[in-house]
Amino acid sequence: MEILDGKKISNQIKDEIAAEVAQMKDRGEKVPHLAAILVGNDGASLTYVGSKVKACERIGFESTLVKMPSTTSELELLKKIEELNKDKEIDGFIVQLPLPKQIDTQKVLLAVDPDKDVDGFHPMNFGKMALDMSTFIPATPFGILELLERYNVQTQGKHTVVIGRSHIVGRPMSILMGRKGFPGNSTVTLTHSHTKNIDEITRQADIIISALGVPGFLKGDMVKEGVVVIDVGITRVTDETTPKGYRIVGDVEYEEVSKKASYITPVPGGVGPMTIAMLLKNTLLARERHREKAAL
Ligand code: NAP
């Protein structure tokens, strides 16, 4: 069994990006600038955004954090998005989800300029991804592809079972694993909460990508020998023995499943760090595109 070490690979990717940024600086070019809008004080969101800003500093990107109160109206948020859309200094930005109840998430995601949509959530970018066109691939699926590629995990002709059909992980992952090329060329089964006899389906899988957010959902008797397991789940469970009072767990019963797996991602240290690295990669891509556009 080999661990798909997201921490190690994400550090490699950040080093590669940092080297490119250093070259940009040497050439006197503008460095990539990522902005994040955070509405409210959700603990997990604060942590995620904080890690993204820290990662930007480490690799030499400019970063801007826009904090808005939880009482922010939809109109106020849309105005802020328009400001960032127009700001030539900013190459890409994200709106941290989830948003407070009074705000329509779909409306917000549609308002982001697709050229700055480094999360890859805008329907235009999602459509391009589905049509194999060059675009911003949502960071978590992009990170999973990168892990599979860098560990040279074979996907062609394999049966990939994706658990969960969210717009940000499961659904795009199912499209990407089924597309032509590597990683891809898989035969994909997309499962969700209405899927019957899911254990019979997972037992047939060569590759399982689990993104449902139910701790310990995937058990040892639900997988076959040699399976490749990607655990996307991140759930905080109370643990008074830890300094923070909680620990992070995935969707996979790691002890049992790792005994049968050929490759597996740990939680933490698997998909999570890859997500941040790929957001940075998308921001670098956005900078390059903006530079090319400006040169026209
Ligand atoms: P989500 O929007 O909550 O969707 C969960 C999906 O799982 C839904 O499609 C749901 O089916 C399905 N599901 C729920 N219970 C199920 C069951 N018993 N059997 C089969 N399918 C079931 O999920 P998400 O936003 O994709 O997040 C999933 C997990 O990944 C969460 O723990 C989240 O924190 C984590 N995550 C991690 C990263 C990372 O960077 N590592 C990034 C994003 C998300 P229905 O559609 O039928 O409701």
Side-chain angles (χ1 to χ4, degrees):
M1 188 272 292
E2 189 167 359
I3 288 176
L4 297 170
D5 188 341
K7 203 168 176 195
K8 184 177 94 183
I9 300 294
S10 65
N11 280 331
Q12 277 174 15
I13 294 169
K14 285 188 220 161
D15 288 346
E16 289 162 16
I17 300 175
E20 286 199 43
V21 174
Q23 285 177 13
M24 286 175 164
K25 278 189 180 155
D26 287 347
R27 292 193 296 263
E29 289 173 12
K30 175 187 170 318
V31 299
H33 188 157
L34 175 69
I37 303 179
L38 177 64
V39 186
N41 295 309
D42 176 66
S45 294
L46 274 166
T47 311
Y48 293 143
V49 168
S51 321
K52 289 166 187 173
V53 170
K54 230 186 271 164
C56 281
E57 283 164 11
R58 192 193 131 185
I59 60 166
F61 279 12
E62 295 282 345
S63 67
T64 299
L65 175 57
V66 181
K67 275 189 178 172
M68 302 179 83
S70 55
T71 51
T72 302
S73 70
E74 190 175 282
L75 187 63
E76 284 167 328
L77 179 56
L78 291 173
K79 278 185 180 161
K80 180 53 75 182
I81 289 172
E82 201 40 35
E83 232 177 77
L84 297 186
N85 281 343
K86 286 188 180 137
D87 188 337
K88 289 210 162 41
E89 284 304 305
I90 295 196
D91 294 295
F93 67 96
I94 59 159
V95 182
Q96 185 65 41
L97 303 180
L99 290 167
K101 281 195 282 296
Q102 71 276 18
I103 299 174
D104 179 345
T105 303
Q106 293 294 350
K107 227 177 181 175
V108 165
L109 297 180
L110 267 171
V112 176
D113 178 349
D115 272 346
K116 294 190 175 186
D117 169 41
V118 285
D119 255 342
F121 293 164
H122 193 286
M124 184 188 280
N125 288 325
F126 199 95
K128 283 184 169 177
M129 177 200 69
L131 294 170
D132 297 336
M133 293 164 77
S134 162
T135 186
F136 301 116
I137 296 174
T140 303
F142 196 6
I144 293 169
L145 292 184
E146 196 74 18
L147 262 184
L148 293 171
E149 191 177 338
R150 294 203 185 210
Y151 277 89
N152 201 21
V153 177
Q154 290 312 299
T155 58
Q156 177 155 319
K158 304 290 184 192
H159 180 198
T160 295
V161 173
V162 180
I163 312 175
R165 57 178 165 183
S166 75
H167 295 167
I168 60 168
V169 188
R171 186 83 55 88
M173 211 55 239
S174 68
I175 294 169
L176 292 162
M177 291 301 283
R179 72 180 182 174
K180 283 187 181 175
F182 172 69
N185 287 342
S186 255
T187 304
V188 180
T189 304
L190 179 59
T191 66
H192 44 77
S193 68
H194 298 278
T195 302
K196 295 219 165 62
N197 305 326
I198 202 164
D199 52 339
E200 284 175 20
I201 298 170
T202 54
R203 268 195 292 274
Q204 291 170 29
D206 301 305
I207 301 170
I208 298 175
I209 300 170
S210 183
L212 71 161
V214 178
F217 176 84
L218 192 75
K219 309 248 180 324
D221 62 1
M222 292 171 71
V223 304
K224 68 175 180 187
E225 287 289 338
V227 66
V228 175
V229 178
I230 309 289
D231 189 353
V232 186
I234 294 182
T235 307
R236 283 183 179 199
V237 296
T238 310
D239 185 348
E240 300 304 343
T241 64
T242 64
K244 288 182 178 161
Y246 67 85
R247 71 196 151 82
I248 300 292
V249 293
D251 290 346
V252 176
E253 201 63 71
Y254 188 86
E255 284 305 314
E256 294 173 18
V257 174
S258 60
K259 289 196 178 84
K260 292 170 102 175
S262 55
Y263 293 93
I264 190 165
T265 58
V267 176
V271 176
M274 291 300 293
T275 297
I276 295 187
M278 302 324 279
L279 174 69
L280 301 171
K281 188 129 190 177
N282 273 343
T283 308
L284 180 68
L285 186 67
R287 170 85 289 271
E288 282 163 3
R289 285 198 192 155
H290 293 150
R291 188 172 50 80
E292 281 165 16
K293 250 189 185 173
L296 287 175

